[in-house]
Amino acid sequence: MADNDSLLLERFEAPGPKRILALDGGGIRGALSLGYLERIEKILRKRYNKPNLVLSDYFDLIGGTSTGAIIAAALAIGKSAAEVKEKYMKLGADIFGDRKGFLGIYLNCRYDEAPLKTALKDMFGDIKIGDEGKDALKTGICIVTKRLDTFSTWPVCNHPKAKYFNKNRFLLRDFVRASTAAPSFFIPELVDVGEGEIGSFVDGGLSLMNNPSLQLFLMATLQGFPFHWKTGKDDMFIVSVGTGRRNIKLIAKEYKNPSLLTTAKMAPEQFMNDANEVVELMMQYFSNSPTARKIDSEVGDLNGDILNGKEAFTYNRYNITLDKNSLIAVGVNTLSNEVITGLTEMDDADNRFILADIGIKAAEDQVKETHFPAIFDIN
């Protein structure tokens, strides 16, 4: 397809403000984020009096990591939030079904990747990341994954002027699968990246960008990437959706002299927690968000802290802490402490309906019509 025939390129290069949607990783907890997406879609349908509006009509770039990549890709091909939710709930049961036996888990991973690959082929067929139009991509997409063999983060997008666009027009399903290949859960995805080179890819959550909002901002603005969108509070709008977070405080004396195995088991979550906190801190530092949360007891919610005194974008972040007080605050008050603790697991498919209900209630509480400024209205 020639550049001048690309409707997506026309959309990317059109004057006016740009809208970005970023979706976190988190395994089966992605079910929670769907409540926020349904609420956002409902607000926009009402605003524009368009009952069939979908999020790809509003957002110019939708990106995700891991489970967020599945949802982002489904939205980017024009599915409604309700359609994505229906497919996602079935997908969760399929991919996190029977675990492998002990030997299989010990040697490589907990789950067979075949059900996931089958489900992704059913969802995305043979759509390539560079395809657009009917039964293909309707808006910008960015899939964040991690290349295990080169230690590099790969944000793969569908901009026709991307540096490697013509060389790397991958099947959409292959890179969604790559972004979801969480170590210990699934084996890596091997992808032919061109010129006879095979790359080994794992979950994008293994990078700093499990919350991909900062990555999408960089992709939208850095000269090395193709978008080159203008920054400013009236020029760029970033909506970031989480999959539930938890406040962790262990008993220090029990970790006075932990074993190497104990430390190793804790390392991935320690790393991911720090990465998520840094991304949220930076996004709040670049903006003056109505949804800003307290990062820690020293920096607070960064009220009054804006880098160089100028907002780089308008920013909304939606998420909920999975603890009893936070859940009661949004009207979820029947769950035991044991159930709440289990909700943080990334592969317990039985939790998906509870998580979806939490997402609906949290979204009703948190997502306001006023969070979507008129300056970013679509025609």
Side-chain angles (χ1 to χ4, degrees):
M1 180 183 294
D3 283 351
N4 58 5
D5 293 329
S6 171
L7 292 176
L8 281 179
L9 185 63
E10 182 179 329
R11 180 175 186 173
F12 296 154
E13 295 187 343
K18 294 294 184 285
R19 297 157 289 267
I20 298 171
L21 176 63
L23 305 175
D24 285 18
I28 199 64
R29 298 204 316 262
L32 187 152
S33 66
L34 293 166
Y36 289 111
L37 298 175
E38 287 184 300
R39 170 71 174 160
I40 293 168
E41 193 174 76
K42 180 180 178 180
I43 287 172
L44 296 174
R45 285 177 172 183
K46 178 183 177 183
R47 170 171 295 188
Y48 304 120
N49 194 27
K50 293 182 177 180
N52 295 320
L53 178 144
V54 291
L55 294 178
S56 61
D57 296 328
Y58 183 79
F59 290 102
D60 304 294
L61 177 61
I62 303 176
T65 299
S66 192
T67 198
I70 298 175
I71 299 170
L75 294 174
I77 63 172
K79 300 295 184 185
S80 68
E83 288 175 310
V84 176
K85 183 176 184 178
E86 180 181 0
K87 288 183 176 294
Y88 186 91
M89 300 304 268
K90 182 179 185 303
L91 177 70
D94 290 342
I95 67 174
F96 293 123
D98 295 334
R99 288 192 179 194
K100 291 184 177 181
F102 176 78
L103 183 60
I105 295 172
Y106 178 77
L107 291 178
N108 50 25
C109 59
R110 301 181 195 179
Y111 299 99
D112 183 354
E113 77 282 5
L116 174 58
K117 292 178 76 100
T118 298
L120 294 178
K121 185 173 183 180
D122 178 62
M123 289 177 71
F124 303 117
D126 294 327
I127 297 172
K128 290 186 171 65
I129 288 178
D131 292 345
E132 59 177 282
K134 188 176 184 296
D135 300 322
L137 289 156
K138 307 295 191 296
T139 191
I141 183 71
C142 176
I143 305 297
V144 180
T145 185
K146 177 83 172 183
R147 187 164 170 184
L148 188 65
D149 54 317
T150 63
F151 287 58
S152 53
T153 300
W154 277 44
V156 181
C157 77
N158 64 335
H159 196 299
K161 292 185 178 180
K163 186 173 183 180
Y164 299 107
F165 180 78
N166 292 322
K167 177 182 175 183
N168 295 335
R169 292 187 63 178
F170 307 106
L171 286 170
L172 179 61
R173 68 174 190 255
D174 286 348
F175 262 82
V176 172
R177 150 68 185 141
S179 184
T180 60
S184 82
F185 290 94
F186 299 103
I187 63 171
E189 179 76 2
L190 299 181
V191 180
D192 183 345
V193 296
E195 299 180 0
E197 184 179 359
I198 302 296
S200 177
F201 291 88
V202 294
D203 196 306
L206 211 63
S207 72
L208 284 173
M209 303 299 176
N210 185 63
N211 171 346
S213 55
L214 180 58
Q215 179 67 72
L216 295 180
F217 171 61
L218 297 175
M219 172 168 280
T221 57
L222 292 182
Q223 289 301 306
F225 292 118
F227 290 91
H228 306 155
W229 288 343
K230 185 179 179 182
T231 61
K233 70 175 183 178
D234 293 335
D235 298 296
M236 183 175 292
F237 182 30
I238 301 178
V239 176
S240 174
V241 181
T243 59
R245 63 185 301 275
R246 64 171 175 162
N247 292 323
I248 306 170
K249 187 173 183 180
L250 304 176
I251 301 173
K253 66 181 181 180
E254 294 182 3
Y255 293 87
K256 181 179 179 180
N257 186 22
S259 68
L260 181 60
L261 179 59
T262 297
T263 303
K265 286 180 177 180
M266 294 174 63
E269 187 169 12
Q270 294 271 3
F271 169 81
M272 187 178 290
N273 184 74
D274 279 358
N276 288 339
E277 292 295 291
V278 167
V279 169
E280 287 201 48
L281 183 147
M282 294 306 298
M283 296 300 287
Q284 289 181 200
Y285 193 21
F286 290 144
S287 65
N288 183 20
S289 176
T291 62
R293 73 170 180 88
K294 179 181 177 181
I295 301 296
D296 62 36
S297 60
E298 286 189 296
V299 302
D301 65 1
L302 280 81
N303 181 31
D305 286 314
I306 299 177
L307 185 63
N308 294 327
K310 183 179 180 182
E311 297 170 53
F313 44 74
T314 293
Y315 170 65
N316 295 340
R317 169 70 174 173
Y318 302 115
N319 205 5
I320 184 170
T321 302
L322 296 173
D323 64 23
K324 200 169 191 66
N325 289 338
S326 299
L327 295 177
I328 289 174
V330 299
V332 180
N333 51 24
T334 60
L335 302 180
S336 68
N337 289 331
E338 182 180 6
V339 170
I340 292 171
T341 299
L343 292 176
T344 60
E345 296 295 329
M346 293 196 296
D347 63 333
D348 190 341
D350 291 341
N351 287 334
R352 66 194 189 281
F353 295 104
I354 299 174
L355 289 162
D357 184 58
I358 291 170
I360 291 169
K361 289 183 168 60
E364 287 290 337
D365 179 70
Q366 297 174 14
V367 184
K368 311 297 183 185
E369 293 184 28
T370 55
H371 289 174
F372 295 81
I375 189 69
F376 296 106
D377 277 351
I378 58 174
N379 296 326

